[in-house]
Amino acid sequence: MINKTATAHWTGSVKEGKGQISTESGALSTQPYGFNTRFEDKPGTNPEELIGAAHAGCFSMAFSMILGDYDAVADAIDTKATVSLEKQDAGFAITKIHLDMTATIPGISEADFQEAAKTAKENCPVSKVLAGADITMDAKLVG
């Protein structure tokens, strides 16, 4: 089993308060977050973009692994995850995630490309943990 950690520190009320997020690796170190970075596009991060980064990264790695089943290696895989946070009766909820992936993969057919992308979307570990969310995808083979 592999365990990775991240921490969050928060002080104050939800609107006026401030927080910091850090990761075990140090990739994020006391990165600021708060109401203004989540809802007002101020500098800093927010949980939704961190989930999106994790999902895009996990999907891209899983896709590159699955390409091996097709004897294919990507020259490039670029994935953008759009995480939707919506107001609901009892507060806010992440209701969907959309993956936009473009890849350059010599010699792969469109059918094999789409099948590999679908398999990666359904089976990367982050997709599995987010299984309650509506995860959609557009995958484009270029070059």
Side-chain angles (χ1 to χ4, degrees), residues 5-25:
T5 64
T7 59
H9 174 76
W10 186 267
T11 57
S13 67
V14 71
K15 281 196 171 183
E16 290 79 26
K18 294 185 184 334
Q20 298 174 336
I21 294 174
S22 298
T23 57
E24 175 182 5
S25 69

Side-chain angles (χ1 to χ4, degrees), residues 20-133:
Q20 298 174 336
I21 294 174
S22 298
T23 57
E24 175 182 5
S25 69
L28 295 176
S29 180
T30 62
Q31 179 65 42
Y33 81 106
F35 187 89
N36 61 357
T37 65
R38 194 171 196 182
F39 298 104
E40 299 171 356
D41 293 327
K42 298 294 181 187
T45 192
N46 59 72
E48 292 73 33
E49 79 175 4
L50 295 172
I51 289 169
H55 201 186
C58 183
F59 167 82
S60 295
M61 287 181 73
F63 181 63
S64 72
M65 181 188 75
I66 292 163
L67 287 174
D69 295 341
Y70 298 88
D71 296 320
V73 176
D75 288 343
I77 301 166
D78 294 292
T79 306
K80 175 183 174 183
T82 302
V83 178
S84 297
L85 180 69
E86 294 186 53
K87 177 84 170 106
Q88 295 186 334
D89 294 337
F92 287 87
I94 293 173
T95 56
K96 63 184 173 180
I97 300 170
H98 181 77
L99 300 172
D100 278 302
M101 185 263 292
T102 303
T104 304
I105 308 163
I108 195 168
S109 71
E110 181 69 28
D112 286 350
F113 168 78
Q114 292 296 333
E115 185 61 32
K118 179 179 179 274
T119 301
K121 179 179 78 74
E122 293 170 354
N123 292 292
C124 89
V126 173
S127 287
K128 288 180 179 181
V129 79
L130 300 172

